[in-house]
Amino acid sequence: MLFLTVTLSGCTVVSTDVTALMNPPKLTKQQQAIEQTLTNALGGAQHTLKHPRNGNYRSSFVLHSFDHGLSTSALAFYTSSKEKTGTHVMVMKETNKKWQEVCDISGDGNEVDQVMFGDFDGNGTDELAIGWTSFTSTDMVLGIYAFHGNKYEKIYPDTYTEMTRVSMTGSNKDELLLLKLDSANKKATASLVGAVAGSIGTISQTPLDSTVTGYAGLYPTEEDGSPAVLIDSRKGTKTMVTEMVLWKNGTLTSPLYDADKKTASAETLREIPIACQDVDNDGTMEIPEPVEMPGYEDIYSGKTTDKIWEVRWMDWKNNALTQKLCSVINSTEGYTFILPDNWDNGVQNVTVMRENGDADWAFYEWNPVTRQVGLRLFDIMAYASDVWDTMDANSSLQRVTESDGMVYAYQPNPAGVGSPYYLDIGAVRQHFKLID
């Protein structure tokens, strides 16, 4: 009744600001002490805490040891009522269990994009890298700061569209990989920034596809024995392409860049937004190349919305993309099924049909010569835990695994046992992987 009275009244205004209706999260004792030090240093002036929008550090208070364990510093991001624009960073140190202000950095933007730490100039202590966003530019502004006692010095400025911390040149050195996309001038580059002659500068750079519309992910990894970064780039709203920068023979290269067309190689272009992943958990990232599961012309009468995609996962070896493994991804039910090698040895021998939406995927033989569906091999099914508890214990269903209130089950088909593509419950468990 009260709700209706308020919402239907012609003279009452109800705030739609959700943040105003939520209580801020409680600060820990340590954070409370840092907040109090910030308040005292500002002389009690009204201020608003800010936080980085991207990266590994998302809190308004970030702790780090720049001297590798000898002392701890705290960074507090805030805006003050004394200034109309701009975000500041107050740097504090803990002495005798009390936080004290060291210095205050006036930022180069309205918000903080991300924060990174590393020994970028090679002097043995860490520097602070902050990316700033501005209301007046789509590019981010990078500032790398070094601390000398109670003072700081901005030792390197730059701009970027996306960045990530890497260690590509060896000797445990830290670098930043900066991607710069200038669509207006049809130019895109990847620049490796790090120690140069005792200072910080551009070590090497390489061209990228300037026709992309943005970046979806950066993944430091290793390809063909060399440090690399895979880059998932967007081309419009749905299409994605993967680019690569590789550190080889003392320089940065772009092996998937077509210098003649000045675009990324069409090999990694895909119409569905599947990102690079470490599918087999071996510590290196793979590049997805989706292909339609066979038989859809017959099975689904050409309905493209019902496609199930097989993903061929590629890595870079001997200057070429090489198929490493294949999988199907059931994103609705949250799992990946890695295909046995004999299911796709350059020819697709198995296909998948939906029997009950995405809750029941049935695996069938596929004859690539006659283009006919063969024996039904087995099903992978997904049940809510409470539904699974009501299932008949005498059924042929066998539990594969369970997670977050869901049970994943295997149902064999006796007719498929003699097929070279049939898998028992043990093999299915080995090939089944939950999506993180």
Side-chain angles (χ1 to χ4, degrees):
M1 290 289 292
L2 177 61
F3 174 77
L4 291 174
T5 301
V6 171
T7 55
L8 297 179
S9 170
C11 58
T12 303
V13 178
V14 179
S15 171
T16 57
D17 184 2
V18 177
T19 59
L21 306 177
M22 299 172 60
N23 293 323
K26 291 184 178 180
L27 299 178
T28 65
K29 288 185 178 180
Q30 185 180 55
Q31 290 173 332
Q32 288 174 359
I34 296 171
E35 162 73 358
Q36 188 60 54
T37 302
L38 173 64
T39 300
N40 294 342
L42 295 176
Q46 185 178 0
H47 61 276
T48 302
L49 294 176
K50 310 293 284 187
H51 60 86
R53 294 183 170 184
N54 296 296
N56 294 328
Y57 302 96
R58 302 293 185 93
S59 172
S60 298
F61 307 113
V62 176
L63 301 180
H64 187 73
S65 176
F66 289 91
D67 49 19
H68 306 292
L70 297 178
S71 63
T72 300
S73 297
L75 310 178
F77 301 94
Y78 71 95
T79 56
S80 173
S81 59
K82 294 180 179 180
E83 298 186 15
K84 294 182 179 180
T85 60
T87 296
H88 284 245
V89 186
M90 185 168 289
V91 183
M92 312 170 203
K93 275 192 177 180
E94 190 176 31
T95 305
N96 297 325
K97 297 185 178 180
K98 289 186 178 181
W99 291 99
Q100 296 180 344
E101 178 190 5
V102 174
C103 59
D104 191 273
I105 300 173
S106 180
D108 293 321
N110 306 92
E111 301 287 343
V112 184
D113 175 47
Q114 53 186 310
V115 175
M116 296 179 183
F117 302 96
D119 183 9
F120 302 116
D121 61 3
N123 69 351
T125 59
D126 279 358
E127 288 77 46
L128 167 65
I130 302 179
W132 305 94
T133 66
S134 171
F135 295 145
T136 60
S137 175
T138 56
D139 286 335
M140 265 65 77
V141 177
L142 169 66
I144 299 181
Y145 307 88
F147 296 95
H148 311 287
N150 291 344
K151 296 182 179 180
Y152 78 90
E153 177 188 4
K154 185 194 289 186
I155 58 176
Y156 184 79
D158 212 327
T159 60
Y160 68 94
T161 308
E162 289 289 347
M163 73 172 175
T164 189
R165 197 187 84 164
V166 294
S167 182
M168 301 187 79
T169 62
S171 302
N172 295 318
K173 293 180 181 179
D174 297 315
E175 295 101 22
L176 290 173
L177 184 72
L178 307 182
L179 307 188
K180 302 180 183 183
L181 176 60
D182 184 356
S183 300
N185 294 309
K186 298 182 179 180
K187 185 178 180 181
T189 59
S191 298
L192 188 64
V193 171
V196 176
S199 185
I200 296 179
T202 300
I203 299 171
S204 182
Q205 64 180 23
T206 189
L208 295 175
D209 187 338
S210 62
T211 66
V212 304
T213 55
Y215 301 108
L218 281 71
Y219 316 100
T221 185
E222 184 178 285
E223 296 289 338
D224 203 15
S226 297
V229 176
L230 299 181
I231 306 163
D232 278 338
S233 304
R234 301 186 191 93
K235 287 203 170 187
T237 57
K238 296 181 180 180
T239 305
M240 185 179 288
V241 68
T242 296
E243 305 183 75
M244 183 198 312
V245 292
L246 188 73
W247 181 256
K248 198 86 170 179
N249 299 323
T251 190
L252 206 62
T253 64
S254 307
L256 297 178
Y257 178 75
D258 188 325
D260 294 328
K261 297 181 179 179
K262 297 185 179 180
T263 62
S265 168
E267 279 188 275
T268 67
L269 193 67
R270 49 198 183 272
E271 296 179 1
I272 54 176
I274 299 178
C276 293
Q277 297 177 34
D278 180 6
V279 182
D280 55 356
N281 297 319
D282 67 347
T284 61
M285 303 291 288
E286 289 86 42
I287 300 172
E289 288 190 6
V291 293
E292 186 179 328
M293 291 296 284
Y296 278 90
E297 298 85 354
D298 305 319
I299 299 170
Y300 291 120
S301 301
K303 295 180 181 178
T304 57
T305 56
D306 288 327
K307 288 182 180 180
I308 294 177
W309 296 87
E310 175 187 329
V311 184
R312 293 171 175 168
W313 296 96
M314 318 295 285
D315 60 5
W316 184 258
K317 283 187 177 180
N318 300 320
N319 297 318
L321 287 173
T322 304
Q323 182 173 310
K324 190 175 183 182
L325 70 158
C326 301
S327 74
V328 288
I329 303 173
N330 189 331
S331 56
T332 303
E333 300 299 344
Y335 68 84
T336 294
F337 189 76
I338 297 174
L339 307 187
D341 292 341
N342 67 329
W343 281 21
D344 186 334
N345 47 14
V347 177
Q348 293 172 300
N349 298 300
V350 172
T351 193
V352 178
M353 294 175 62
R354 291 182 176 93
E355 296 296 329
N356 180 24
D358 289 313
D360 182 354
W361 277 16
F363 294 78
Y364 285 84
E365 286 184 339
W366 172 257
N367 189 319
V369 178
T370 63
R371 298 193 59 78
Q372 296 292 318
V373 174
L375 292 172
R376 185 169 180 166
L377 305 171
F378 59 86
D379 292 38
I380 295 178
M381 310 166 91
Y383 296 94
S385 296
D386 56 347
V387 175
W388 173 262
D389 292 339
T390 66
M391 302 295 290
D392 184 357
N394 295 321
S395 74
S396 59
L397 286 171
Q398 301 175 60
R399 186 195 308 261
V400 177
T401 190
E402 58 183 302
S403 176
D404 295 330
M406 295 294 297
V407 174
Y408 301 91
Y410 159 86
Q411 186 172 54
N413 181 23
V417 173
S419 169
Y421 310 115
Y422 176 81
L423 300 179
D424 61 20
I425 181 62
V428 168
R429 285 174 176 153
Q430 289 179 351
H431 289 268
F432 186 92
K433 178 184 175 184
L434 291 171
I435 298 174
D436 295 332

